[in-house]
Amino acid sequence: MQRYEHGGDIYENAGIQLDFSVNTNPLGMPEAAKFAVVDFIDTFERYPDCKCRALRAALSKKHGVKENMILCGNGAADLIFRICACFQPKTALTLSPTFSEYERAVRCFGGEMRYFLLRETNGFELTDEVIRMLTPDTGVFFLCNPNNPTARLASMEFLCRIAAACAANDVLLVVDECFMEFSMGQSMVSMLSSFPKLLVLNAFTKFYGLAGLRLGYLMGDPALLARIASFGSEWSVSTAAQAAGLGALSEPDWAEKTRSVVEEERTYLNTELTKLGLTVFPGEANFLLLKCSIPLYDPLKKRSILVRGCDNFTGLDEFFIRIGIKTREKNTALLCAIREVLHG
């Protein structure tokens, strides 16, 4: 059986009490999302709206784009695989380390992945060197921003230069913004009209805590989306997921509440982990990439705490872990466990 490459595998790891391996919202699901699923329960006997009309209308209002510029899917991963099924790039480019589903999808449809290696020596910051790798033989560039697992955020100015280089070389640029709303960064959605071969990927998984319902969406040129849509199931988004999405979007002040908690707890964890002697890499998402002098994954699991071991990320090893930012009580419990591992 293939090794599971992501966080959240509490099913294989029985007895876990605190799961820091996932990067979902520390506030959980919005209450409005929970109520919406219950309110729609009598409609579950019917087929879902395959065009997600109400949800796309709400997303159109949120992002300021036309409804025909939005394609909904069964989570971000579903849409990544649809992109690769549609275009079947012989060669694609991504960062290293980054989210592994880009490579899996490319290889699934016969392509090869090239990597721009992010360096520990500069805090895994994306640099201008990546632009030189955007050549006409590159079919797709998958760019996660903020990047997972490094949490680094590229500026809008830099991303526009990347988009221009992609346009000049006829490269499809897919910017994955699943963690963007945790940061104060600028979305590339505003640049969709300037770059016809730009796609922006987002999901309800992280920011709204709907990981188990599977709901993602892609924004871009309507003609491109129409081509990509045909490579997915007609009813890929359930009625429950659509209802939860609509409810989540209606939750008042969700963004402000979330960012306030994440910023406060990120600062707290950064300070306390540094005191313990760990290297905390700079980042602007709802998770932190850490390096320790000893491997922490197994010792923490023995204490019923699951973190994301990073040894299966290209360019990282067993001394790196990624932790999702949680509430103060949970974060303090993690710090106590790490202190115990390091100092007894």
Side-chain angles (χ1 to χ4, degrees):
M1 182 179 295
Q2 185 178 12
R3 177 183 174 183
Y4 189 67
E5 295 183 353
H6 308 291
D9 192 14
I10 56 173
Y11 311 100
E12 181 71 21
N13 298 284
I16 293 298
Q17 296 177 11
L18 292 173
D19 185 6
F20 281 83
S21 71
V22 292
N23 304 330
T24 52
N25 196 315
L27 300 179
M29 286 174 59
E31 290 298 309
K34 299 176 184 179
F35 293 140
V37 172
V38 175
D39 289 343
F40 276 79
I41 199 166
D42 288 337
T43 71
F44 290 177
E45 64 190 41
R46 302 197 297 263
Y47 280 99
D49 175 9
C50 63
K51 296 188 184 300
C52 301
R53 293 171 179 85
L55 181 59
R56 285 168 53 230
L59 287 169
S60 170
K61 183 177 180 180
K62 172 184 172 70
H63 290 287
V65 299
K66 295 178 180 178
E67 292 176 33
N68 66 353
M69 295 177 68
I70 302 169
L71 170 65
C72 296
N74 190 241
D78 169 44
L79 294 164
I80 291 167
F81 271 77
R82 286 202 220 182
I83 290 168
C84 292
C86 178
F87 296 103
Q88 299 192 15
K90 292 182 179 179
T91 304
L93 176 68
T94 194
L95 309 182
S96 175
T98 198
F99 186 45
S100 62
E101 290 300 290
Y102 312 137
E103 180 177 356
R104 287 188 68 242
V106 168
R107 293 189 182 279
C108 184
F109 295 98
E112 292 296 324
M113 184 65 85
R114 292 187 295 138
Y115 314 94
F116 176 77
L117 184 62
L118 301 169
R119 299 182 179 89
E120 180 183 349
T121 52
N122 71 345
F124 300 102
E125 183 178 6
L126 184 61
T127 66
D128 281 349
E129 296 172 47
V130 72
I131 293 177
R132 290 196 287 272
M133 297 186 71
L134 295 168
T135 54
D137 65 337
T138 305
V140 182
F141 180 22
F142 286 102
L143 175 58
C144 189
N145 190 49
N147 187 39
N148 174 19
T150 65
R152 295 305 301 262
L153 179 71
S155 70
M156 171 69 81
E157 183 272 334
F158 187 21
L159 289 172
C160 285
R161 287 196 284 122
I162 289 174
C166 286
N169 289 280
D170 198 29
V171 176
L172 180 67
L173 173 60
V174 182
V175 179
D176 182 344
E177 295 188 350
C178 285
F179 297 103
M180 179 60 76
E181 291 178 278
F182 291 105
S183 77
M184 296 304 292
Q186 293 178 277
S187 170
M188 283 292 280
V189 170
S190 63
M191 303 307 297
L192 287 173
S193 59
S194 300
F195 300 104
K197 294 201 71 173
L198 166 66
L199 295 171
V200 177
L201 179 67
N202 209 325
F204 286 77
T205 304
K206 314 296 184 182
F207 195 66
Y208 293 106
L210 304 187
L213 283 170
R214 313 307 305 143
L215 181 58
Y217 57 102
L218 195 61
M219 293 174 283
D221 178 76
L224 273 182
L225 296 184
R227 291 176 61 188
I228 295 166
S230 64
F231 286 86
S233 166
E234 193 75 12
W235 301 283
S236 63
V237 184
S238 71
T239 302
Q242 293 183 47
L246 284 167
L249 292 173
S250 74
E251 184 81 13
D253 305 321
W254 186 251
E256 291 76 9
K257 292 175 185 176
T258 295
R259 291 191 193 110
S260 176
V261 170
V262 168
E263 184 176 352
E264 182 176 352
E265 294 306 307
R266 182 170 56 216
T267 301
Y268 169 68
L269 282 169
N270 199 327
T271 300
E272 298 302 317
L273 288 164
T274 301
K275 287 180 184 177
L276 290 174
L278 278 72
T279 300
V280 183
F281 293 94
E284 298 184 58
N286 63 319
F287 54 90
L288 292 169
L289 179 65
L290 315 174
K291 187 178 184 181
C292 187
S293 59
I294 63 171
L296 290 175
Y297 179 84
D298 286 328
L300 289 173
K301 191 165 75 168
K302 289 177 181 177
R303 290 163 172 80
S304 301
I305 296 176
L306 189 63
V307 296
R308 175 64 162 93
C310 293
D311 56 319
N312 62 355
F313 279 106
T314 305
L316 303 183
D317 57 30
E318 69 273 18
F319 297 102
F320 290 86
I321 63 170
R322 187 197 68 199
I323 59 168
I325 294 171
K326 308 298 179 187
T327 59
R328 178 60 59 92
E329 181 181 6
K330 293 178 180 178
N331 293 335
T332 301
L334 173 65
L335 290 167
C336 289
I338 293 176
R339 187 177 295 110
E340 184 180 292
V341 171
L342 295 177
H343 306 298

